[in-house]
Amino acid sequence: MCFLSISEALGVFGEPEKSKIDQLQMDLEQIPSTFFALFWLYTHDFLYISPSIEKVTGHAFKNFEKHGMVFFTGIIPPPLIENIYQTMYTQAEAIKNHPKHLFADEFLQIKAAVYDPEKHEIPVNYNAVLVDEKIFDPISYLVLCSWIDTREKSIEEVQILERELRSKLTAIKQAYFQSKPERFEFLKVKNKISDREKEVAQLLAQGHSTKSISEQLHISFNTVESHRKNLLHKLEAKNTAELVYKFNQI
């Protein structure tokens, strides 16, 4: 589903953050030879894609609006698709292991290409920042990204565009966090939860008992209880039911 604006796609309706994001979106639309989007990396669902994609690729905007990632994937040269997604996942995992994780202003970077309607390749530079995440299997990242048409541009010209785009993408991300302080706190807490604690929480969410979890993870009953108590503390939950509820929110 494609929303009409980034603020709507992010669920930001309060002020002043909504107006700030809307203004940044308008600013992004004015940057020549670029387009931008918001989508989930794992499920590949476009939440927003800018009309300027029509100017860069030559394809009608309504096709992207209607068919989203399905149509967009169709204009990427097939030999590049697997490499692009593999690179994105690899870089996302590297950012995941960053000490500050989502709060670090690090970007995914890929050199790629898209087809115009006549199947001519348009070289593009891709830059993206991680905005949010959901615990799927595997984990999915909400990505705010931009593409630059690098045809007939010097390295310096591309770098200038990248700096401008990055500053605005980062500002949108910051406004998103400011609009949802509870989400920001959840993500900070999640960064403190160990991989083993996540496994325990996921099994608790599936209704498994401490004994069942100890058998599945091949750890002692007391170790499972220790992980559960740590989760109660980190999530500020009063009981297991509240622990599961709060864990599912992140």
Side-chain angles (χ1 to χ4, degrees), residues 88-138:
M88 289 172 68
Y89 280 119
T90 300
Q91 292 185 12
E93 284 299 305
I95 292 176
K96 175 184 174 183
N97 294 323
H98 189 286
K100 293 184 179 179
H101 192 9
L102 288 175
F103 316 110
D105 293 329
E106 296 198 12
F107 283 76
L108 307 179
Q109 291 181 283
I110 301 171
K111 291 185 183 298
V114 293
Y115 283 139
D116 68 12
E118 285 73 44
K119 292 288 186 179
H120 298 134
E121 286 193 12
I122 302 170
V124 293
N125 276 18
Y126 170 91
N127 287 267
V129 63
L130 303 184
V131 178
D132 207 335
E133 65 181 30
K134 289 287 187 182
I135 300 175
F136 295 118
D137 186 18

Side-chain angles (χ1 to χ4, degrees), residues 133-136 183 186 190 193 198 200-207 231 235 240-250:
E133 65 181 30
K134 289 287 187 182
I135 300 175
F136 295 118
R183 183 66 183 158
F186 267 133
K190 181 184 174 298
I193 298 175
K198 290 174 189 174
V200 170
Q202 287 168 339
L203 290 170
L204 286 171
Q206 294 169 17
L231 286 163
L235 294 173
T240 301
E242 187 177 0
L243 181 163
V244 168
Y245 172 78
K246 288 189 171 183
F247 181 77
N248 285 335
Q249 302 307 302
I250 59 174

